[in-house]
Amino acid sequence: MLATACESTVAEAGKTISICLEYQNEIPTLPKTEELQMLKEELQMICHQAQAKKPVFSAAGFFAVDYTMLGMMIGSVTSDIIVVLQFQK
């Protein structure tokens, strides 16, 4: 559940860029009012920040908490089971 929550949060943060670009495209190239100009500039800043600082969840900086973590855990458990089975023979 933790990996799913982290993965979906990162995916939602990625949607921020497309939402900002969508709203920017609705504003004319040369805004008629100062408010529209400020809105366009703020949307550009948000878009740049979202591109530069994408969220990453990690376990104290050791590894990323996402779906790849589940693959690593399954691989580790599988290799441990194989070693145990070999020692039993």
Side-chain angles (χ1 to χ4, degrees):
M1 286 182 13
L2 180 65
T4 303
C6 293
E7 191 75 28
S8 63
T9 302
V10 170
E12 287 295 321
K15 292 179 184 177
T16 302
I17 297 169
S18 62
I19 292 170
C20 285
L21 292 175
E22 186 178 314
Y23 282 126
Q24 274 182 326
N25 288 336
E26 291 180 10
I27 299 173
T29 306
L30 296 170
K32 295 179 180 178
T33 64
E34 186 176 324
E35 291 175 353
L36 283 176
Q37 179 64 32
M38 288 176 52
L39 178 62
K40 189 167 187 165
E41 290 173 2
E42 287 180 16
L43 286 170
Q44 286 175 345
M45 285 190 288
I46 292 170
C47 187
H48 289 300
Q49 285 179 349
Q51 287 175 342
K53 296 184 177 184
K54 294 183 180 178
V56 176
F57 292 93
S58 67
F62 291 110
F63 56 89
V65 178
D66 55 6
Y67 288 136
T68 59
M69 176 193 72
L70 294 176
M72 289 187 300
M73 290 174 63
I74 290 170
S76 296
V77 169
T78 303
S79 64
D80 288 345
I81 289 173
I82 290 171
V83 170
V84 168
L85 289 175
Q86 288 177 348
F87 277 121
Q88 285 182 354
K89 290 183 179 183

